[in-house]
Amino acid sequence: MASLNKYAPLALAITLALGGTFGAAQAAYVDVLDLPAKASALASHTALRDVARAGDRLVAVGPRGHIVYSDNQGQDWRQASVPVSADLNALVFPTPEQGWAVGNDGVILHSGDGGATWAVQLDGRRIGALVTAHYQALATAHPDDERWAQFAAEGQRLEQEGADKPFLGVWFTDARHGYAVGVFNLILRTDDGGNSWVPMQDSTDNPQGLHLNAIRAVGDELYVAGEQGLLLKWDAQQQRFVALPSPYQGTWFGVVGKPGEVLAYGLRGHVARSLDGGQSWTKVDTGLALSITSASLDSSGDFWLYSQAGHVLRSRDGGQSFALQPQVPLAPVAGALQTGANGIVLVGERGVRVLAAH
């Protein structure tokens, strides 16, 4: 029997070595929510996912906690100080100084200096407990209403699963009132500039718990775009996001518009136009079978669309039709912003590009 165990010392040594390596790796691991974004001279040349205006400043966000900003219309960029390395997906600045960014791991960041420095307001390690406490209090106050216990159970599930639920969109109407939306009907509201957040899963016409991809105001109307054709609009009288009829049952990535006219855009080139606040929609032919990943409105009121491959389309007739813009080099676009009458800033997998508008 001794011969059967002749490799035991070697096996034990390997096990101890691997265990020591694994233990060292465990000891060295730092959660991205506790790890500040690494400074990089290439931050504006690597992947970015959204761009917004903070007064005259431009600010863009992307993976690994990267946030960059420009004070000369996108010609030069500096990296912001960010306390997390989580991937960031969207941002908004309701004022030149006050801004919010959201991303993976349930992170919500706030800046009070136009995007140069950021602080964590909330992360996914706390969201589950927040949801549970909110709905458990309602369940206790209204024991005959089973909805609250169901939402409280959802909060407990979030607690058990940990910080793995991303926020995909954010919108603030001013420096105090805002929303963050994400996967599986995750939606929070704040009325105090993000010092506290209130769950709103019970205030959406989204019984399937579909992903909420974006939230954006068009004039005084607030819209949410989601998967499987989901389009929602805030109803102040009902105090909830009500479902709108949708002309497409695939994924919508966002909305863009001006008072009296709204466009929804999404997968496989699908775009729809509404002139009555989303109550009815007309399909718009973009001529593309590729996803429309971003949209913007220029100072003259023209709509612009951008595809996942980098196509740029412009409408000069209020969104009824679009024409492909010539001589635009293709590169994936995740976010876009007009910089005035003569320029467009695009962000995507290759970082920032500045194009001249034609």
Side-chain angles (χ1 to χ4, degrees):
M1 295 295 293
S3 62
L4 296 177
N5 294 322
K6 65 180 180 179
Y7 296 112
L10 177 59
L12 178 60
I14 293 173
T15 300
L16 291 174
L18 290 176
T21 302
F22 182 68
Q26 279 189 312
Y29 172 76
V30 180
D31 194 311
V32 294
L33 294 173
D34 298 317
L35 184 66
K38 186 177 180 180
S40 171
L42 300 176
S44 65
H45 300 283
T46 56
L48 294 167
R49 294 179 177 170
D50 196 16
V51 60
R53 185 181 300 282
D56 293 329
R57 173 175 287 178
L58 306 180
V59 187
V61 301
R64 301 181 299 282
H66 282 173
I67 300 181
V68 294
Y69 60 95
S70 171
D71 290 320
N72 58 2
Q73 300 301 300
Q75 299 303 314
D76 301 290
W77 295 81
R78 288 182 285 177
Q79 188 173 357
S81 174
V82 181
V84 300
S85 294
D87 292 354
L88 302 174
N89 299 319
L91 79 164
V92 65
F93 278 83
T95 75
E97 295 81 23
Q98 303 295 322
W100 283 263
V102 300
N104 292 2
D105 302 282
V107 69
I108 300 178
L109 303 178
H110 170 254
S111 174
D113 59 6
T117 62
W118 296 79
V120 176
Q121 284 192 332
L122 187 66
D123 64 49
R125 295 176 296 198
R126 292 178 280 163
I127 289 175
L130 176 72
V131 173
T132 301
H134 176 74
Y135 288 114
Q136 189 59 60
L138 289 171
T140 301
H142 307 281
D144 295 332
D145 192 335
E146 296 180 354
R147 292 180 305 153
W148 307 127
Q150 293 171 353
F151 284 117
E154 175 66 16
Q156 293 170 351
R157 184 180 67 81
L158 290 174
E159 289 186 77
Q160 294 169 358
E161 293 178 351
D164 65 344
K165 303 299 185 293
F167 284 112
L168 304 175
V170 61
W171 189 262
F172 272 69
T173 57
D174 54 40
R176 293 186 60 81
H177 303 92
Y179 303 83
V181 301
V183 298
F184 302 119
N185 197 41
L186 181 60
I187 177 168
L188 304 179
R189 184 192 79 242
T190 180
D191 295 316
D192 57 10
N195 291 315
S196 62
W197 293 85
V198 178
M200 292 188 67
Q201 283 89 321
D202 62 295
S203 300
T204 64
D205 288 351
N206 184 16
Q208 293 179 273
L210 301 175
H211 297 339
L212 308 177
N213 295 324
I215 181 168
R216 186 166 183 169
V218 175
D220 295 329
E221 299 175 332
L222 187 61
Y223 294 85
V224 174
E227 63 175 339
Q228 295 186 29
L230 184 67
L231 290 171
L232 303 174
K233 180 181 176 182
W234 178 250
D235 187 310
Q237 184 174 1
Q238 297 186 52
Q239 287 293 291
R240 64 184 295 106
F241 285 94
V242 299
L244 298 173
S246 178
Y248 173 56
Q249 298 310 305
T251 294
W252 295 112
F253 290 126
V255 298
V256 65
K258 50 191 175 182
E261 187 172 358
V262 181
L263 297 184
Y265 55 90
L267 274 176
R268 300 176 182 174
H270 282 276
V271 174
R273 177 173 179 257
S274 176
L275 301 179
D276 57 7
Q279 297 307 308
S280 63
W281 299 84
T282 302
K283 292 184 179 181
V284 178
D285 184 9
T286 62
L288 295 178
L290 297 168
S291 295
I292 305 298
T293 50
S294 188
S296 63
L297 192 68
D298 67 22
S299 57
S300 65
D302 287 350
F303 288 101
W304 295 71
L305 301 175
Y306 312 91
S307 83
Q308 67 180 115
H311 299 93
V312 177
L313 301 94
R314 183 179 188 177
S315 173
R316 299 179 184 270
D317 58 8
Q320 297 181 69
S321 63
F322 283 84
L324 187 66
Q325 298 303 288
Q327 299 178 339
V328 175
L330 296 184
V333 176
L337 185 68
Q338 304 290 141
T339 60
N342 300 316
I344 305 171
V345 170
L346 305 178
V347 299
E349 291 302 311
R350 301 180 188 176
V352 178
R353 289 189 298 154
V354 180
L355 302 180
H358 299 287

